[in-house]
Amino acid sequence: MVRFYFFRLEFWRLDDETWVGSIKKGNRHSEILLRDIEHVATLASLYRLYNEHYLYPKEAIDESWEKVLLNQFHDVLPGSAIGMVYEDAEKLYAEVRMDGEALLDEAFRVLFPGSVALTLDTDPKALDPTGKIVGFNTTFFRRSDIVQVPLVGAHAGLVSQVLQTSSDGKVGYAVVNSSGNVGTVCTPATGLHAQITPVSGASLLPLPRLLGC
């Protein structure tokens, strides 16, 4: 009886660990996002040359952490709760992502005055034609990453900073090299080398933040 019961518990544990993958993904991405926010917001609170009214958003960060930690309770993260629990959990992760991106943008505007976040949703037409792409490496490791840049209606200055474009010409791919916090776009002479990390290979690490300066 003891051996039989031991194996039943072991199989239950293995099944429980892999039951709801989206919740584990939401948990991990939220933890990384909040860690990045704490890092960038701390720097912004110390470097207030252009915005002396910026304060570390402790209450907002704590509120997001409480949502993440709530989803780590007992049956939620392991995957053994009822269905409606995961509907609520997905909503909480969406709120953390939305609020977190807003907090990051606010902190980056202090560190990089006059800059805008450059994502695939950004309208390239609204960017300064003389601007440069920079990346912010929130890890403490030297990184070389392939990043996506929107090109629909982009100025020639932005297009010139990518190494390759998609077949439809809507997206460009640039290589950002970060030896410290701030990374710069590589040229064709320096960007093509064997140590470039594909985006898919660094999914658990926050990619360099793209900013159109």
Side-chain angles (χ1 to χ4, degrees):
M1 286 293 296
V2 174
R3 294 185 63 183
F4 172 77
Y5 198 61
F6 170 80
F7 285 117
R8 285 293 301 273
L9 285 176
E10 179 66 15
F11 283 125
W12 174 85
R13 184 185 67 80
L14 290 174
D15 179 64
D16 186 58
E17 285 184 351
T18 58
W19 188 250
V20 185
S22 64
I23 296 300
K24 293 176 175 61
K25 181 178 180 180
N27 176 74
R28 185 57 176 147
H29 284 194
S30 296
E31 289 179 332
I32 292 174
L33 175 61
L34 290 173
R35 184 266 171 198
D36 289 350
I37 295 170
E38 291 176 345
H39 179 183
V40 178
T42 298
L43 295 178
S45 65
L46 296 175
Y47 182 72
R48 296 188 294 175
L49 179 62
Y50 296 94
N51 188 348
E52 61 182 13
H53 302 294
Y54 180 84
L55 296 175
Y56 184 85
K58 182 180 184 302
E59 292 185 4
I61 293 176
D62 287 348
E63 182 179 353
S64 291
W65 268 120
E66 288 175 3
K67 294 176 181 179
V68 174
L69 294 175
L70 177 63
N71 283 344
Q72 293 181 355
F73 173 75
H74 190 49
D75 288 324
V76 183
L77 186 58
S80 53
I82 59 177
M84 65 176 63
V85 170
Y86 297 107
E87 295 178 1
D88 292 340
E90 295 285 4
K91 292 178 182 178
L92 291 178
Y93 286 135
E95 292 174 3
V96 170
R97 182 170 59 253
M98 181 180 65
D99 295 340
E101 290 294 339
L103 292 173
L104 268 182
D105 288 340
E106 182 182 8
F108 275 120
R109 284 196 295 270
V110 176
L111 295 175
F112 300 93
S115 64
V116 295
L118 185 58
T119 69
L120 292 182
D121 296 325
T122 303
D123 182 8
K125 299 178 183 177
L127 299 176
D128 184 349
T130 63
K132 295 182 179 180
I133 301 174
V134 298
F136 192 89
N137 180 12
T138 56
T139 72
F140 295 95
F141 305 98
R142 183 185 181 280
R143 302 181 61 187
S144 293
D145 290 281
I146 301 173
V147 295
Q148 294 179 307
V149 180
L151 294 181
V152 178
H155 300 285
L158 182 61
V159 177
S160 66
Q161 298 181 64
V162 303
L163 296 178
Q164 185 176 344
T165 61
S166 59
S167 58
D168 57 10
K170 295 181 179 180
V171 179
Y173 301 94
V175 175
V176 176
N177 184 33
S178 304
S179 56
N181 283 133
V182 180
T184 56
V185 175
C186 298
T187 65
T190 62
L192 302 178
H193 55 82
Q195 296 179 348
I196 295 176
T197 304
V199 173
S200 60
S203 58
L204 293 182
L205 294 175
L207 294 174
R209 183 79 173 189
L210 291 183
L211 299 156
C213 296

